[in-house]
Amino acid sequence: MTGQGAPAFNPRVVLGLLLFGAIAFAATLYFIGAGETSRGPNDGGSHAAAKGLTGYAALAEILEAEGHEVSLSRSPGAFDDEALLILTPPVFADGEEIVELIGSRRYAGPTLVILPKWHAMTIPDAIPVEKEDGWVVLGGASKPSWIEALEGQYATELALGELDRTQGPDWQSGAHRGELPDPKHVQTIANATMIPLVTASNGNILAGYYDDGGYYPVLDEAAGLPPADEEDLDTSRWNFMVVAEPDLLDNYGMADRERAALAHEIVDLAMEGQDLPIVFDLTLNGLGRTQNLLTLAFAPPFLAATLCLALAMMVVAWRAFRRFGPPLAEARAIAFGKQRLVANSAALILRTRRLHLLTGPYVETVRQRLVAALRLRRSDDETLDHALDRRAPDAPGFAESAEALRQATRPNEILRAASALKSLERKLIR
């Protein structure tokens, strides 16, 4: 007997609570894994995600609009990719970390380092001016302290001061020249084993690449040098380029068309004529984000497994919800009654292939019923045959039918002989 009682709570209310809890839990996990609870990248810093004067968001947008594959990396894993890595470290960065990173990149891909100089801060809310997120005010300039960590063939001496525009244009690169947005605070390279690509009016280097024994034919041609002998140089090494004046590439400098064109040319030269992906690093600016298992769960290729797991959880929850309330009473595996008992026994005999063992007992069972029906005192075959001959002369003898059943071996033969013996009993009863 089966039955089901009324549930203790409204199923719709329970389903709503389950769905709300599941969605809230999944959203919490996702936002924690995706880093949405941390500060935004547009924080007024000197990196490619910032839209203030000292940021490089304009350069990234220009390069992407020109068809380059541009990405902003918040993971140290991008340091090993074969791509142009653009580093924009702050003024007070870790010099040893930068030197180690540059050294590991020499055979992985080209590296372009844009040196910082500005001290900037986001515009306070107390200042009553129209502003957008990430806008900054400049509070002075200074040379980066970590530049002293560059030693040996990369040792670099910087200079920071005002340019005299009576001596010529602020910057010059081949036939291109122009002015800087703030000639009073110009940062240049005064001394280094470097080949200049962009020079200032005072003769110092604004942008260039180190002469470190590598083979850089594209850069040499842009610098106006004769072709170098490939056999004497390291052809597997990538260039290491430095831009000392950030206003050549930052948002402050992108306000001028000539400087924007120069910035694009510098990036193209850093790739040495190859179509490489361009990666702007954000980790040196404190925006790094290491991937954890939760982050990977919502990123390809693990996203497919996460979706399958979520679907399986939904199926399990739905099954549990449908079973809400008292469970149904389980039916018996073997029902009561003689008919079911006989059917189960017959099925067992058929499964074990022991049908031939029933022939003898069945003959004796029919014999006893015939003796009772004919009211005989003796039950031997001869007595039964005489009695049957008087009652049903046209019926076959009992001894003959019983012997046929005993000799049968195959299931069909046994059933045929048993049916003949059963028909003899039906004739007498009728």
Side-chain angles (χ1 to χ4, degrees), residues 127-201:
I127 300 179
V129 297
E130 294 184 3
K131 60 182 182 299
E132 295 184 9
D133 293 340
W135 284 19
V136 298
V137 292
L138 303 179
S142 65
K143 295 182 289 186
S145 58
W146 54 264
I147 198 68
E148 299 177 358
L150 297 177
E151 300 176 348
Q153 60 183 348
Y154 301 120
T156 302
E157 180 182 347
L158 299 179
L160 180 63
E162 184 177 358
L163 291 180
D164 186 1
R165 287 185 171 175
T166 61
Q167 297 180 358
D170 293 344
W171 62 267
Q172 181 175 351
S173 176
H176 304 284
R177 60 196 64 196
E179 296 181 350
L180 291 170
D182 188 350
K184 295 183 179 180
H185 303 87
V186 179
Q187 183 170 258
T188 60
I189 298 175
N191 186 19
T193 57
M194 180 176 287
I195 300 175
L197 293 173
V198 184
T199 57
S201 59

Side-chain angles (χ1 to χ4, degrees), residues 179 275 321 338 348 355:
E179 296 181 350
D275 187 14
F321 175 76
K338 296 181 179 179
L348 177 62
L355 192 60

Side-chain angles (χ1 to χ4, degrees), residues 38-101:
S38 61
R39 64 187 178 96
N42 184 25
D43 56 359
S46 299
H47 49 77
K51 298 182 179 181
L53 288 177
T54 59
Y56 300 93
L59 176 61
E61 292 180 5
I62 290 175
L63 294 173
E64 188 172 9
E66 290 293 330
H68 293 285
E69 182 183 345
V70 180
S71 61
L72 308 183
S73 174
R74 303 178 69 172
S75 171
F79 296 159
D80 300 328
D81 297 340
E82 186 176 0
L84 171 60
L85 179 64
I86 300 180
L87 302 177
T88 57
V91 175
F92 302 104
D94 187 349
E96 295 182 358
E97 180 184 0
I98 296 175
V99 170
E100 182 180 356
L101 172 57

